[in-house]
Amino acid sequence: EASYDLGQDFLINWQLEGGNFRYMYDWLTGTWVEDDHQVRQAGSLWGISTCYRYKPSDTTKVALDKGLRFWFANTIPGPTEGTLSLRYPGDPTIHSGSVALVALAIIEYLMTDAPMEEAWETELKSKLDGYLAFLQYLQLPDGHIAKDYHHQRAKRSKRSSPYYDGESLLALTKAGNQLGYDSLVPTIEKAARAMAERYTIESWAKDRDSKDTKGFFQWGSMSFVE
């Protein structure tokens, strides 16, 4: 419990006024590293949301709401009807992992045993519907999820990432299992089979110490539990 409190405070203290987070601190030089990464920004928000679900508090809710509003302010219509995408400041592409982690933050929030304003809950569900539909749009013919989507070209990547595959699969399975999004099941079944095969059997045939397996395994394990 003490570790939990310290970890939550660490995340909250690193949040900037705009809702995003400081990226890195160099303990040796005592200076901030002025860098950024959209997926880790979204991951920090999921961390806050997970903390809030575990132990709701007013302080955590303020940070969570501020973080979600940052992403909502950078939400744009997706490539097809019913989809919502994200445009991360200064980046021409949006990574599927970013969308998945923001979706996961909303899922944890909606599953939290705490009161919520009806209007805010409606907005959360609307955004979640759009983000999940976008992840479905990003599914490639082989079952994997496209690594990213280029806004100006209006094209999804032909490649996938073990990290983003796993994050996307976890968002889809949590939404399906915990929130009852049954429409996601065909996408999940196609993705889960393809990812399990690629990141175990196929990867180990090439390298028993596969980096692809390392990228996917924690996300895949959580997904398969769902």
Side-chain angles (χ1 to χ4, degrees):
E1 290 298 316
S3 296
Y4 162 81
D5 290 336
L6 289 168
Q8 176 185 252
D9 291 346
F10 179 89
L11 286 171
I12 292 174
N13 289 337
W14 274 38
Q15 189 174 40
L16 299 167
E17 189 57 37
N20 54 334
F21 297 85
R22 285 280 197 181
Y23 180 70
M24 191 184 297
Y25 184 77
D26 188 326
W27 297 103
L28 296 178
T29 62
T31 58
W32 290 101
V33 178
E34 297 301 333
D35 201 352
D36 200 8
H37 193 288
Q38 57 170 275
V39 180
R40 290 172 185 170
Q41 287 282 354
S44 298
L45 180 67
W46 181 45
I48 293 280
S49 188
T50 303
C51 289
Y52 184 66
R53 181 176 179 179
Y54 175 65
K55 190 189 294 184
S57 72
D58 292 342
T59 301
T60 314
K61 187 180 187 304
V62 168
L64 178 55
D65 288 351
K66 186 188 296 185
L68 284 167
R69 289 191 178 99
F70 168 83
W71 288 100
F72 290 177
N74 290 287
T75 294
I76 59 174
T80 58
E81 185 177 357
T83 63
L84 290 175
S85 183
L86 297 166
R87 187 186 291 276
Y88 193 75
D91 201 326
T93 65
I94 188 68
H95 299 311
S96 52
S98 302
V99 180
L101 286 162
V102 175
L104 279 164
I106 298 174
I107 293 166
E108 307 293 355
Y109 202 169
L110 292 173
M111 291 298 297
T112 301
D113 186 18
M116 183 186 298
E117 293 181 3
E118 184 177 346
W120 186 226
E121 182 178 3
T122 299
E123 183 172 0
L124 290 173
K125 290 180 177 178
S126 175
K127 292 295 195 297
L128 179 60
D129 289 347
Y131 299 150
L132 292 173
F134 183 59
L135 289 177
Q136 286 186 289
Y137 166 83
L138 291 178
Q139 188 169 44
L140 299 169
D142 63 4
H144 293 264
I145 306 298
K147 182 179 180 180
D148 49 42
Y149 178 84
H150 196 286
H151 296 298
Q152 189 173 2
R153 297 173 188 165
K155 288 185 65 176
R156 63 185 182 184
S157 173
K158 296 180 181 179
R159 297 183 299 142
S160 56
S161 153
Y163 293 98
Y164 303 166
D165 263 357
E167 290 157 357
S168 298
L169 184 61
L170 184 60
L172 293 166
T173 54
K174 272 205 167 191
N177 186 40
Q178 298 188 20
L179 293 177
Y181 280 60
D182 294 340
S183 61
L184 299 175
V185 170
T187 303
I188 292 168
E189 290 183 339
K190 185 176 182 179
R193 175 61 185 264
M195 294 174 190
E197 185 170 8
R198 176 175 295 181
Y199 299 125
T200 59
I201 297 170
E202 292 183 5
S203 294
W204 297 340
K206 301 174 184 176
D207 181 3
R208 290 295 295 178
D209 194 30
S210 170
K211 291 182 178 179
D212 286 347
T213 304
K214 291 177 182 178
F216 177 78
F217 88 93
Q218 61 173 341
W219 304 103
S221 296
M222 290 186 283
S223 300
F224 298 148
V225 167
E226 296 296 330

